[in-house]
Amino acid sequence: MGLRTGLSSGLRRGLRRGVGRWLRRLGERLDPQAVSEIGLGSRKLPALGELDAGPAAGDEAIPSVPWQGVRERALGKSLVTLRSEALYSLGALHAAHLAAAAVFDDRRLAAAIAQRSGETVSDETLTKLAEAASIWHRDSASLGMALTAVGSTQVPDMVLAEALQVDEQEAEALEAMTEGYQIELKRQILEEADS
């Protein structure tokens, strides 16, 4: 699956908008005065006279830091931010798989040409190269589908508790459920690492 077919135009548009919003918010946090130097007026940027009234991005809109667990991210980050992070992580993994699959395809082709030219290339080598290419292609296709699925999800730009308008008891239940999920995820990751 090619990169163009793996990422729909809607997903690419969504990524561009998300990156633009994130960069703008990051710029506002780092240097609010730089926004006034741009001289652009839009409904998303404060007017030059109202620059001080334009809030910097809140914690829910900035990227997660590496030490944050699933519970902290699920409850403390905007759902749009979580989706953007997932898209970038999946995109990087997808790109790595596409590149690896291409390398193994090239190696398979080189080995087959060498064998036809009379060089000694064992059938075992050809089989191993074919298996490796097949695995990278299969996983690349799965990641491409995951990218499309995540990119097409509709999420509000607010944290989960706000999106659901939970009361105090429901907020406690959300905490417990996400904590339980985090524990189970860690267990699965450890099991996979041991196998």
Side-chain angles (χ1 to χ4, degrees), residues 39-115:
L40 298 175
S42 82
R43 61 183 175 81
K44 293 186 178 181
L45 290 176
L48 294 180
E50 301 171 0
L51 188 60
D52 292 339
D59 287 342
E60 74 281 353
I62 59 174
S64 299
V65 290
W67 54 262
Q68 284 184 312
V70 171
R71 183 182 62 78
E72 291 88 357
R73 292 176 194 219
L75 298 178
K77 295 293 174 188
S78 159
L79 295 169
V80 167
T81 300
L82 289 175
R83 184 182 63 188
S84 294
E85 289 179 352
L87 287 171
Y88 281 107
S89 294
L90 279 171
L93 194 55
H94 188 227
H97 277 71
L98 285 171
V103 167
F104 278 108
D105 284 342
D106 189 54
R107 289 178 184 173
R108 284 175 60 200
L109 181 60
I113 291 171
Q115 190 180 49

Side-chain angles (χ1 to χ4, degrees), residues 36-187:
S36 66
E37 294 169 11
I38 295 172
L40 298 175
S42 82
R43 61 183 175 81
K44 293 186 178 181
L45 290 176
L48 294 180
E50 301 171 0
L51 188 60
D52 292 339
D59 287 342
E60 74 281 353
I62 59 174
S64 299
V65 290
W67 54 262
Q68 284 184 312
V70 171
R71 183 182 62 78
E72 291 88 357
R73 292 176 194 219
L75 298 178
K77 295 293 174 188
S78 159
L79 295 169
V80 167
T81 300
L82 289 175
R83 184 182 63 188
S84 294
E85 289 179 352
L87 287 171
Y88 281 107
S89 294
L90 279 171
L93 194 55
H94 188 227
H97 277 71
L98 285 171
V103 167
F104 278 108
D105 284 342
D106 189 54
R107 289 178 184 173
R108 284 175 60 200
L109 181 60
I113 291 171
Q115 190 180 49
R116 283 188 169 248
S117 300
E119 294 180 35
T120 305
V121 179
S122 70
D123 289 338
E124 182 184 356
T125 299
L126 292 173
T127 300
K128 285 184 178 180
L129 288 171
E131 287 173 357
S134 175
I135 290 167
W136 287 101
H137 277 290
R138 181 201 64 212
D139 291 345
S140 173
S142 297
L143 290 165
M145 289 186 286
L147 260 173
T148 301
V150 172
S152 66
T153 57
Q154 300 294 314
V155 292
D157 194 2
M158 53 182 68
V159 298
L160 186 60
E162 292 171 351
L164 300 176
Q165 298 178 351
V166 297
D167 60 27
E168 196 173 312
Q169 284 182 322
E170 290 172 326
E172 289 175 11
L174 280 179
E175 286 266 354
M177 285 185 278
T178 53
E179 182 68 29
Y181 181 90
Q182 179 171 276
I183 291 167
E184 178 61 20
L185 181 63
K186 283 182 181 177
R187 186 188 63 76

